[in-house]
Amino acid sequence: MDIAKRSDCNPLLRPADLPAGIDGMEITCLLNPGVFRMDGKVWLVLRVAERPKQVEGKISFPIYENDTIKILTFDKDDPQLDLADPRVIAYKGQNYLTTLSYLRLVCSEDGIHFHEDPQYPPIFGKGALESFGIEDCRVATMDDGFYLTFTEVSPVAVGVGLISTNDFKTYKRRGMIFPPHNKDCAIFEEKINGLYYAFHRPSSPELGGNYIWLAQSPDGVHWGNHRCVAVTRAGSWDSARVGAGAAPIKTKEGWLEIYHGANAEHRYCLGALLLDLHNPAKVLARSTQPIMEPIADYEKTGFFGNVIFTNGHYVDGDTVHLYYGASDEVICKATLSIDEILKTMNTP
Ligand code: MAN
């Protein structure tokens, strides 16, 4: 049952709405924004995915080499090339991404119309572990500043990086906090019994799968006491992968986490988990059916269709103002009632 009220202004942002951020590139996709509030405005940390204008018969894409952009080009009829997934290029046993992603800020007075402010620079990948880019930023608003967790992509790894900032003008890079293969990391916005908590999503393909885990940390940088809190469910909408969205919402009933789940056909929907306020390793309830699924045209077709992916929201009373990437191509907004989400959930 889809209980999300989509904005009449959807999509709020499309690739053509912004100029490319890297010389010689075009924006192919805008996706999966982190969200925070600052100076009375709503801010999105967009994932911007760019590549050069494509030439007939070729596929070309950028990577970083020693922190400078390099373009790789393959002939489309090369028998060693696999282009079955629009997001990934497989060539001679090596995977590449078709686009290079970085993070870029936009802000809004009304939460609907967004613009850039030149005072706030984009965040580009840096160093060997981000040579294929950085993606899907979560912003945790903490007592001592903002903690940004995002996917770092390179030929050797997909892992989770951390950056902290107080003003989004200067950034402190804290390195990779969850080693490969890991993504979808959302830090809780307050400590529990003096410890930081975070969801993360390691992948264990041989035994296990793509499940949501919980970890603790004394300092937000070093994480331990890992426990699995949600697995995929055979035959269900979340049968192939599950991953946390943004920081969980503190409610009277428990921590409410909106997560994404996908099936083998890569159809991405949203569901919810409810975790104990004092011991979030204890799952109190979970959605049986999705609370939001790709039903609008812009969610069903695009760069990679049938995808609703969220990693950012802000909360006002009972209302979750949820921002999401639709079809891996455009930025959209929906509102959901916390009460209604809780009513749809069942004890696991
Ligand atoms: C998957 C998708 C892509 C992403 C890569 C690397 O293929 O989630 O969007 O670029 O992983 O993280």
Side-chain angles (χ1 to χ4, degrees), residues 147-166:
Y147 288 46
L148 281 55
T149 49
F150 51 88
T151 310
E152 300 181 279
V153 195
S154 75
V156 295
V158 172
V160 175
L162 174 69
I163 285 178
S164 55
T165 182
N166 286 308

Side-chain angles (χ1 to χ4, degrees), residues 31 47 85 87-88 97 135-136 151 153 158 183 268 328:
L31 52 174
R47 168 181 168 194
D85 186 327
R87 304 167 301 176
V88 189
L97 299 181
E135 307 179 343
D136 303 347
T151 310
V153 195
V158 172
K183 39 169 75 172
Y268 280 73
D328 274 3

